[in-house]
């Protein structure tokens, strides 16, 4: 039986002779090729092995490995041939054969669609990127060689379970859990712990689903949230998580200093003061000084090297585990042999153990003295009241009563007849066991809550006391409550002890199988810590007396750490263990927080944080560490553990809330990419976790919750407006897509009501040869008209074939996007490639928009210099667009002289927007000025509305009706009715009509060259200026030169209906001399018959009437609105017969002649404004 062995040989493309750089599946990066061989395959020729360039492997029966022969490389015919000693080949194989054999059909697309083997090879060699590095998609496309790194080897236990334990167990367990149990009682304490643990468990389930939905690189929770909810939420929550981690570091440092100054070295305090108030202030100052020093030392340690922190982590974790085990052992031992921690009580009030300087919990004590002392102390009375010593009668001694130190604290002096406090007088001292033990039944007393206000004395309700209503003085040696407690406050203080569940996901880059380890390790760690917390609540309530539990700093047990009193074999196990564990947790926070900030900064979503993405040469985040130290110092200056804990509670709760939201969103949206390997999740669990997080935020501290939300909201809006655009395929984008789909389907139900009508613009822009927009002011005008509202689609047409012009279309689209950003127009770009511009525009008008969000208004520019244009297609395209918009029932806006319109930075300080309402086409003329005046450019302009009255109209009544109509429309404007009397058609009108038709006919006959047309244009321009200077309407106009006008070529002409005067004017315009002169200079351009047709032309009667209207209206409009900022005017429709198109352009020119800024408006046929509410 033949054995099989394989060899892995790294190869490069350049190492393979005969393989060109264009070979599709030879990667530029190093790759590993695996070849298999066997004895059975030796006789066959294997071209793949010949072309691979690597070691082709085989095996011998004896297991002897053979050596490849690299010398068998033959050069011939310019192509390298590689021979293998293992394969019996007689010829070299061309490199093309290697690809053509099985995949020749796909070889042309190999550069964009790689072979499956290449893809799988890349995925198999996947290495986790460092935290905050660039996107994997970007990184994979970079062809630089990466350093060989060790594959991650950490399993579930070491990689996830233990780090989570270390981060979850912390300072609160040792310093505050006993106080929480004593204040809230066992039942409410269990409730607090259960709610907090439920919150983290549900969050862990959601986090597991996200973490197992694809590869999560190092970056942990920030990476998961930002890639699931988008850069805005990711940045906001990432910064909140960073702040929470930073304040956690401050809290751990404060906890370590509290342990140091209270329980390890009380004499190290710098500030000392007497009295409750002074003592509290001195303690806070000590915390600030020592905390700042500790923070400095820790930051130096982190700066020097993280490796030292990681090495110490296991030691700190061992301290935590040993401390917790000693608590459980101590609780069990207390059932048989309770430790002796006496607590001194006066009535039912707890006495501060520090004030028992003589260790006597009594008012007086009996002292034995010799008889001769009787004469000296004859005034002593022999009483044995509340004595702690039983009388022992010695014949040579007598018993003498003496006051204790406590007597001097409650009375005016140490004399037995001194005046004393009433409560002291009527109540006796007693000693109770601080640790009654597991079997004592003390849990029945500790079941219920005992919330205190600041300054209240810690009391034991079950002890008898006289009912003297006398408040305790802070000068007396009682144990007082330092803060006012409530259920909500305790929730906020306890919650940090369940945070730290993200530790496993933060180490995802070091895990052998992150998708398996993160869910199992995190959930097991939460279960473990939850069981420890819940059993600790019960054990504390069952073993320790209530007054000791409510004594936060252990004053009643002479300054011992309360949880330490229960520990076995000595309280020092807990004290030392908790000190080191809190120091370790602080170091971990100061290590993790700067890296989290660096990850956010390197993602480049928050511009002002970019500086924190830089660090030392080895990647250590130096600047981020400085900022972290500064923020942590702010937390240390607060100095109170109970005030810092709710702050980081808020930030962690907000982070957990968004983890749950991310999972719920992805589940409900059913995104195709949402396929978590962890299947034990449900959207309802995520919503429940989110609800608990939100409730806990407001339960623990509503004002901190609001502040945290405001901070997150401000960061969100900042990223939205100023941050870099990122597309991470996040859930918010998916939610937007679903919401847009739902809204579009709802809009599809019917056309919008008149009250909801607003211009949804399709702006048609023209690009020049260099892909620059010819009339950018069109977009400026569109932005002023929209004032940021409604739909705007900016479109252009690229001439050509789509297959060849696709790149040009993309470039044009980028140009439009850049211009839209510059003009701050919110909308979409559309670029259509078509053979003819008019077809492209037609297609765009038909296909733009989606569902109910289709454009209802087209904005296009007036064709500039259409008279001088060599190609008549510009104005023909314009007229065709007018016809298409009319057929599509769309409104049309054509700004004329658009370059003269004001930009967004040139507001009009005065002036009028004039509306010439000649025909009613849906009310567009009324609505547009109102919309324009919403923008800052036109806001200060007044509005005037002119309408035209004929002879048969009652102009006075028209003005009243129009004013009433505007009043009901809630539009403020000046109203004027212009009367246009019937008048004879002027000679000027005939002249213009005739010249228009003559020019059309002449250009058809003569087909002028470009130079001739330029000369003719100048002549017509001169004639035009002369015509305007003469008196309009005069019958005896001067005979002017230039027998034709510079007008559009094509169509038009004319036929009869004229009078003898018209014929006479024709003869005056074109004399025989001029004709012969023209023919002499343009020989061969035309025939005499064509001239005879041209000279015999008579104006068409309908054209004369249209020209008459244009001239008369223009005369009136110029007279009334020559000083207007912009004139809005009804745009007449194009003629049904296409032969009159050039005449139509001439009519529009005459209509708007002499006006600086004109907006021609054509309604879409539907009402756009209403007087009804």
């Amino acid at each position: 039986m033949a054995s099989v062995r394989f060899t892995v040989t790294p190869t490069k493309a350049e190492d393979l002779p005969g393989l060109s750089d264009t070979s599709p599946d030879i990667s530029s990066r190093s790759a590993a090729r695996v070849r298999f061989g066997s004895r059975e395959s030796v006789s066959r020729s294997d071209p793949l092995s010949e072309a691979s360039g690597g070691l082709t492997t085989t095996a011998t029966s004896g297991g002897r490995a053979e050596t490849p022969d690299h010398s068998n490389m033959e050069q011939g015919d310019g192509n390298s041939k590689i021979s293998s000693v293992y394969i019996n080949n007689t010829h070299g194989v061309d490199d093309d054969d290697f690809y053509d054999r099985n995949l020749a059909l796909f070889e042309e697309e190999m550069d964009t669609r790689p072979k499956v083997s290449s893809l799988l090879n890349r995925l198999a060699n996947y290495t986790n990127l460092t935290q905050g590095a660039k996107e994997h998609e970007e990184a994979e496309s970079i062809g630089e060689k990466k350093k060989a790194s060790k594959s991650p080897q950490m399993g579930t236990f070491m990689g996830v379970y233990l780090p989570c334990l270390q981060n979850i167990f912390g300072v609160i367990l040792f310093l505050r859990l006993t106080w929480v149990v004593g204040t809230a009682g066992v039942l409410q304490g269990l409730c607090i712990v259960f709610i907090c643990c439920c919150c983290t468990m549900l969050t862990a389930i959601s986090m597991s689903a996200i973490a197992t939905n694809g590869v999560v690189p190092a970056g942990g929770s920030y990476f998961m949230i930002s890639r699931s909810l988008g850069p805005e939420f990711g940045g906001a929550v990432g910064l909140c998580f960073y702040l929470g981690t930073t304040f956690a570091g401050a809290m751990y440092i404060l906890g370590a200093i509290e342990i140091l100054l209270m329980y390890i070295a009380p004499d190290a305090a710098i500030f000392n003061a007497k009295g409750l108030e002074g003592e509290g202030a001195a303690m806070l100052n000590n915390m600030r000084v020592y905390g700042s020093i500790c923070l400095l030392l820790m930051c130096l340690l982190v700066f020097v090297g993280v490796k030292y922190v990681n090495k110490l982590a296991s030691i700190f974790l061992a301290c935590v585990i040993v401390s917790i085990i000693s608590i459980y052992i101590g609780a069990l031992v207390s059932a048989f042999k309770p430790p002796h921690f006496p607590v001194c009580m006066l009535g039912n009030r707890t006495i501060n153990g520090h004030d028992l300087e003589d260790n006597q919990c009594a008012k007086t004590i009996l002292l034995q003295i010799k008889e001769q002392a009787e004469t000296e102390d004859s005034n002593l009375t022999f009483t044995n009241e509340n004595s702690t010593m039983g009388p022992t009668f010695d014949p040579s001694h007598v018993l003498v009563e003496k006051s204790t130190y406590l007597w001097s604290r409650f009375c005016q002096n140490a004399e037995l007849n001194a005046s004393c406090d009433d409560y002291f007088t009527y109540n006796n001292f007693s000693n109770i066991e601080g640790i009654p033990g597991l079997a004592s039944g003390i849990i029945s007393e500790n079941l219920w809550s005992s919330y205190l206000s600041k300054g209240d004395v810690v009391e034991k309700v079950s002890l008898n006391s006289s009912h003297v209503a006398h408040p305790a003085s802070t000068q007396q040696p009682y144990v007082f409550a330092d803060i006012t407690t409530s259920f909500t406050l305790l929730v906020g203080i306890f919650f940090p002890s369940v945070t730290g569940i993200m530790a496993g996901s933060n180490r995802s880059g070091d895990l052998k199988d992150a998708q398996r380890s993160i869910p199992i390790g995190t959930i097991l760690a939460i279960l473990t810590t939850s069981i420890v917390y819940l059993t600790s609540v019960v054990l504390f309530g069952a073993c320790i007396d209530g007054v000791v539990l409510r004594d936060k700093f252990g004053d009643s047990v002479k300054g011992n750490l309360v949880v330490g009193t229960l520990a076995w074999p000595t309280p020092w196990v807990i004290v030392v263990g908790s000190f080191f564990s809190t120091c370790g947790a602080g170091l971990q926070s100061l290590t993790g927080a700067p890296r989290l900030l660096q990850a956010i900064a390197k993602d480049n979503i928050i511009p002002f944080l970019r500086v924190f993405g830089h660090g030392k040469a080895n990647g250590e985040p130096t600047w981020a560490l400085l900022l972290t130290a500064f923020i942590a110092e702010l937390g240390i200056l607060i100095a109170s553990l109970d005030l810092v804990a709710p702050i980081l509670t808020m930030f962690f709760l907000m982070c957990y809330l968004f983890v749950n939201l991310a999972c719920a969103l992805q589940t409900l949206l059913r995104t195709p990419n949402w396929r978590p390997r962890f299947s034990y999740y449900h959207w309802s669990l995520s919503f429940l976790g989110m609800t608990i997080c939100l409730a806990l935020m407001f339960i623990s501290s509503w004002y901190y919750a609001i502040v945290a939300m405001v901070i997150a909201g401000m960061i969100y809006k900042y990223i939205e407006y100023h941050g870099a655009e990122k597309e991470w395929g996040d859930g918010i984008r998916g939610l937007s897509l679903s919401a847009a789909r739902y809204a579009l389907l709802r809009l599809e139900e019917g056309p919008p009501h008149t009250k909801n009508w607003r211009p949804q613009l399709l702006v048609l822009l023209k690009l020049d040869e260099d892909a620059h927009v010819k009339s950018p002011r069109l977009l400026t005008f569109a932005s002023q008209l929209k004032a940021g509202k409604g739909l705007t689609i900016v479109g252009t047409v690229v001439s050509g074939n789509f297959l060849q012009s696709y790149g040009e279309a993309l470039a044009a689209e980028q140009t439009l996007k850049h211009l839209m950003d510059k003009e701050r127009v919110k909308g979409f770009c559309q670029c259509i490639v078509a053979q003819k511009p008019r077809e492209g525009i037609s297609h765009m008008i038909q296909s733009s928009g989606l569902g109910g969000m289709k454009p209802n208004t087209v904005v296009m520019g007036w064709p500039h210099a259409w008279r001088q244009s060599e190609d008549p297609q510009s104005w023909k395209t314009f007229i065709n667009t007018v016809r298409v918009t009319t057929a599509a029932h769309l409104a049309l806006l054509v700004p004329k002289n658009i370059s003269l319109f004001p930009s967004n930075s040139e507001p009009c300080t005065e002036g009028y927007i004039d509306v010439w309402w000649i025909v009613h086409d849906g009310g567009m003329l009324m609505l547009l000025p109102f919309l324009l005046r919403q923008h800052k450019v036109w806001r200060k302009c007044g509005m005037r509305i002119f309408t035209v009255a004929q002879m048969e109209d009652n102009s006075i009544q028209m003005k009243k009706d129009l004013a009433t109509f505007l009043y009901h429309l809630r539009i403020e404007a000046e109203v004027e009715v212009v009367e246009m009397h019937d008048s004879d058609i002027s000679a000027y009108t005939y002249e213009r009509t005739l010249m228009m038709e003559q020019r059309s006919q002449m250009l058809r006959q003569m087909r002028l060259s470009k130079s001739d047309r330029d000369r003719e244009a100048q002549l017509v321009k001169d004639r035009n200026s002369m015509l305007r200077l003469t008196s309009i309407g005069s019958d005896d106009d001067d005979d002017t030169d230039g027998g034709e006008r510079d007008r559009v070529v094509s169509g038009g002409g004319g036929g009869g209906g004229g009078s003898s005067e018209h014929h006479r004017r024709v003869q005056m315009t074109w004399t025989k001399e001029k004709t012969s002169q023209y023919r002499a200079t343009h020989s061969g351009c035309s025939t005499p018959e064509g001239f005879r047709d041209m000279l015999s032309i008579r104006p068409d009667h309908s054209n004369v009437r249209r020209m008459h209207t244009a001239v008369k209206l223009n005369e009136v409009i110029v007279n009334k609105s020559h000083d207007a900022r912009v004139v809005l005017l009804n745009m007449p429709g194009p003629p049904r017969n296409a032969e009159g198109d050039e005449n139509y352009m001439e009519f529009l020119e005459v209509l708007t002649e002499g006006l600086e800024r004109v907006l021609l408006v054509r309604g879409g046929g539907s009402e756009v404004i209403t007087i009804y509410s």
Side-chain angles (χ1 to χ4, degrees), residues 226-231 666 726-735:
S226 61
R227 270 54 174 185
S228 297
L229 290 178
Q666 300 275 30
K726 298 283 182 180
E727 178 51 67
W728 287 330
D730 50 83
I732 294 298
R733 298 291 191 277
L735 180 63

Side-chain angles (χ1 to χ4, degrees), residues 781 785 893-895 901 912-919 923-933 938 942-947 1117 1121 1124-1131 1151-1152 1155 1157-1162:
F781 173 73
L785 184 64
L893 305 180
V894 181
F901 277 62
Y912 288 96
I913 299 175
D914 281 3
V915 176
W916 282 85
W917 192 18
I918 300 166
V919 294
M924 280 284 288
L925 284 170
M926 302 290 114
L927 187 61
L928 289 176
F930 171 78
L931 295 174
L932 281 175
R933 291 173 66 195
W938 304 95
M943 180 175 168
R944 295 188 300 198
I945 296 183
F946 299 90
T947 189
I1117 293 172
S1121 301
R1125 291 291 178 181
V1126 65
V1127 176
L1128 277 70
L1129 185 62
N1130 282 117
M1131 181 179 183
L1151 184 62
T1152 57
L1155 298 173
R1157 285 181 286 265
V1158 184
L1159 179 62
L1160 295 171
V1161 180
R1162 186 162 172 75

Side-chain angles (χ1 to χ4, degrees), residues 530-700:
S530 300
I531 291 170
V532 168
Y533 284 138
L534 291 170
T535 52
S536 296
V537 169
V538 175
L539 287 178
F540 292 159
C543 297
I544 306 175
D545 195 277
V547 292
V548 180
L549 288 174
R550 287 189 287 280
D551 180 9
K552 184 188 293 186
F553 302 110
D555 291 329
S556 59
V557 285
K558 297 187 177 178
N560 277 298
L561 183 61
V562 174
V563 69
T565 59
L566 188 61
W568 182 88
T570 169
W572 283 101
V573 175
I574 294 285
V575 172
V576 175
S578 62
F579 176 76
F580 281 113
S581 72
T582 49
C583 287
L587 276 174
Q588 291 286 348
S589 297
L590 292 176
T591 304
R595 278 158 181 72
L596 181 60
L597 182 62
Q598 188 182 39
I600 299 171
K602 283 192 172 181
D603 266 340
N604 200 23
I605 56 174
I606 305 177
F608 70 82
L609 288 182
R610 285 174 188 156
V611 64
F612 299 108
H614 307 297
K616 293 195 290 188
N618 60 353
E620 290 299 314
T622 311
W623 291 104
L625 179 62
L626 289 174
L627 181 65
T628 303
F630 175 75
I631 297 174
E633 178 63 21
L634 296 179
I636 287 172
L637 292 178
I638 297 174
S640 172
L641 190 70
D642 303 319
L643 295 179
V644 174
I647 296 176
L648 64 105
T649 295
M650 287 306 121
F651 291 128
F652 277 121
L653 276 172
M654 184 166 287
C655 178
Y656 296 165
L657 184 149
F658 282 104
V659 170
N660 285 303
L661 175 64
C663 180
L665 263 185
Q666 300 275 30
T667 308
L668 287 175
L669 291 173
R670 295 188 179 92
T671 320
N673 192 51
W674 179 247
R675 302 183 300 275
R677 195 173 295 278
F678 178 80
S679 56
Y680 304 102
Y681 70 93
H682 193 265
W683 65 266
S684 58
L685 292 178
S686 299
F687 265 115
L688 180 61
M690 190 172 66
T691 307
I692 293 176
C693 288
L694 193 61
L696 285 177
M697 286 177 69
F698 284 93
I699 284 174
S700 56

Side-chain angles (χ1 to χ4, degrees), residues 888-1169:
H889 299 289
L890 303 180
L892 178 64
L893 305 180
V894 181
K896 195 162 180 284
N897 300 328
I898 185 65
S899 59
L900 300 178
F901 277 62
S903 67
N904 286 330
S905 59
E906 301 169 355
C908 300
T909 55
E910 57 182 358
Y912 288 96
I913 299 175
D914 281 3
V915 176
W916 282 85
W917 192 18
I918 300 166
V919 294
H920 179 66
D921 53 1
M924 280 284 288
L925 284 170
M926 302 290 114
L927 187 61
L928 289 176
F930 171 78
L931 295 174
L932 281 175
R933 291 173 66 195
Q934 306 301 307
H935 197 272
K936 62 180 182 180
V937 171
W938 304 95
R939 189 165 294 149
K940 295 183 179 180
C941 289
M943 180 175 168
R944 295 188 300 198
I945 296 183
F946 299 90
T947 189
V948 176
Q950 302 299 326
M951 280 297 293
E952 64 272 14
D953 298 325
N954 185 343
S955 58
I956 299 175
Q957 187 62 38
M958 277 182 68
K959 186 170 184 178
K960 288 182 180 178
D961 293 343
L962 181 55
T964 306
F965 180 58
L966 290 176
Y967 175 78
H968 287 306
L969 288 177
R970 289 91 62 202
I971 292 177
E972 296 181 5
E974 298 178 15
V975 177
E976 187 170 343
V977 177
V978 178
E979 296 181 352
M980 289 186 66
H981 301 287
D982 286 340
S983 61
D984 294 333
I985 296 175
S986 66
Y988 172 72
T989 303
Y990 277 115
E991 179 74 14
R992 296 209 63 158
T993 311
L994 186 59
M995 286 190 298
M996 174 181 74
E997 296 185 358
Q998 282 177 347
R999 181 178 184 275
S1000 301
Q1001 180 73 7
M1002 184 179 67
L1003 291 182
R1004 273 200 302 272
Q1005 295 291 336
M1006 300 176 64
R1007 303 183 183 278
L1008 296 176
S1009 64
K1010 178 180 183 299
S1011 58
D1012 298 326
R1013 281 197 294 251
D1014 289 343
R1015 191 180 303 112
E1016 181 190 30
Q1018 185 60 42
L1019 293 173
V1020 173
K1021 184 177 180 183
D1022 297 339
R1023 178 179 177 85
N1024 247 344
S1025 58
M1026 291 297 295
L1027 279 172
R1028 293 303 299 170
L1029 291 173
T1030 56
S1031 132
I1032 296 176
S1034 170
D1035 287 337
D1036 51 344
D1037 290 347
D1038 290 335
D1039 184 16
T1040 53
D1041 194 15
E1044 68 92 67
R1045 304 281 292 154
D1046 184 14
R1047 291 294 178 261
V1048 174
V1049 185
S1050 128
S1059 64
S1060 60
E1061 183 188 10
H1062 309 156
H1063 187 67
R1064 180 179 59 80
R1065 294 184 66 81
V1066 173
Q1067 302 306 322
M1068 288 171 60
T1069 306
W1070 284 93
T1071 62
K1072 289 182 180 180
E1073 291 79 11
K1074 284 190 66 66
T1075 304
S1076 58
Q1077 181 185 351
Y1078 207 95
R1079 287 181 62 185
T1081 55
H1082 297 84
S1083 58
C1085 290
S1086 62
T1087 63
E1089 290 78 8
F1091 271 108
R1092 281 196 291 273
D1093 294 340
M1094 183 188 68
L1095 292 172
S1096 62
I1097 192 171
R1098 292 187 179 184
D1100 181 66
H1101 185 63
S1102 61
N1103 285 345
V1104 173
R1105 287 191 297 108
R1106 289 187 175 91
M1107 183 64 77
H1108 177 70
T1109 304
V1111 170
K1112 294 294 289 183
L1113 273 177
N1114 176 256
E1115 181 183 346
V1116 172
I1117 293 172
V1118 170
N1119 185 35
K1120 296 285 186 181
S1121 301
H1122 60 275
D1123 59 344
R1125 291 291 178 181
V1126 65
V1127 176
L1128 277 70
L1129 185 62
N1130 282 117
M1131 181 179 183
R1136 292 187 178 91
N1137 185 1
E1139 291 183 356
D1141 284 354
E1142 69 278 304
N1143 298 340
Y1144 173 69
M1145 294 294 291
E1146 183 69 28
F1147 295 146
L1148 293 182
E1149 281 284 4
V1150 172
L1151 184 62
T1152 57
E1153 208 166 34
L1155 298 173
E1156 193 174 30
R1157 285 181 286 265
V1158 184
L1159 179 62
L1160 295 171
V1161 180
R1162 186 162 172 75
S1166 58
E1167 291 290 333
V1168 302
I1169 196 166

Side-chain angles (χ1 to χ4, degrees), residues 760-970:
Q760 315 283 16
L761 300 184
L762 172 60
V763 184
L764 300 178
L765 296 180
K766 190 174 183 181
L767 304 181
D768 58 18
E769 293 78 8
D770 299 326
H772 295 143
V773 177
K774 283 191 174 180
S775 301
R777 281 289 169 87
L778 265 180
L779 209 52
T780 308
F781 173 73
S783 69
Q784 295 168 4
L785 184 64
K786 300 297 293 180
K789 302 293 188 297
L791 174 73
T792 303
I793 298 177
V794 181
T796 190
V797 177
V798 175
S799 298
N801 186 296
F802 179 72
L803 295 178
Q804 279 82 36
S805 304
Y806 179 66
E808 293 179 35
L810 288 181
E813 197 167 316
Q814 290 302 317
T815 301
L816 295 183
K817 284 183 179 177
H818 178 72
L819 183 61
M820 290 174 70
D821 291 339
K822 183 180 176 182
E823 297 292 341
R824 296 185 179 178
V825 175
K826 300 288 185 182
F828 307 97
C829 293
Q830 188 169 4
C831 186
I832 287 182
V833 181
Q835 294 288 354
K836 297 180 180 178
R838 66 169 70 181
E839 292 178 1
I841 292 173
S842 176
H843 295 159
M844 189 179 297
I845 290 173
Q846 293 176 63
S847 61
S848 291
L850 186 64
M853 288 296 284
K854 283 183 175 292
N856 56 28
T857 306
V858 176
V859 180
M860 63 185 299
W862 178 262
H864 291 293
W866 61 271
R867 292 165 171 162
Q868 290 85 11
S869 175
E870 304 174 28
D871 185 8
Q873 292 304 318
S874 61
W875 59 265
K876 285 186 177 180
T877 302
F878 172 81
I879 296 178
N880 185 69
T881 307
V882 177
R883 286 196 172 100
V884 171
T885 53
T886 305
H889 299 289
L890 303 180
L892 178 64
L893 305 180
V894 181
K896 195 162 180 284
N897 300 328
I898 185 65
S899 59
L900 300 178
F901 277 62
S903 67
N904 286 330
S905 59
E906 301 169 355
C908 300
T909 55
E910 57 182 358
Y912 288 96
I913 299 175
D914 281 3
V915 176
W916 282 85
W917 192 18
I918 300 166
V919 294
H920 179 66
D921 53 1
M924 280 284 288
L925 284 170
M926 302 290 114
L927 187 61
L928 289 176
F930 171 78
L931 295 174
L932 281 175
R933 291 173 66 195
Q934 306 301 307
H935 197 272
K936 62 180 182 180
V937 171
W938 304 95
R939 189 165 294 149
K940 295 183 179 180
C941 289
M943 180 175 168
R944 295 188 300 198
I945 296 183
F946 299 90
T947 189
V948 176
Q950 302 299 326
M951 280 297 293
E952 64 272 14
D953 298 325
N954 185 343
S955 58
I956 299 175
Q957 187 62 38
M958 277 182 68
K959 186 170 184 178
K960 288 182 180 178
D961 293 343
L962 181 55
T964 306
F965 180 58
L966 290 176
Y967 175 78
H968 287 306
L969 288 177
R970 289 91 62 202

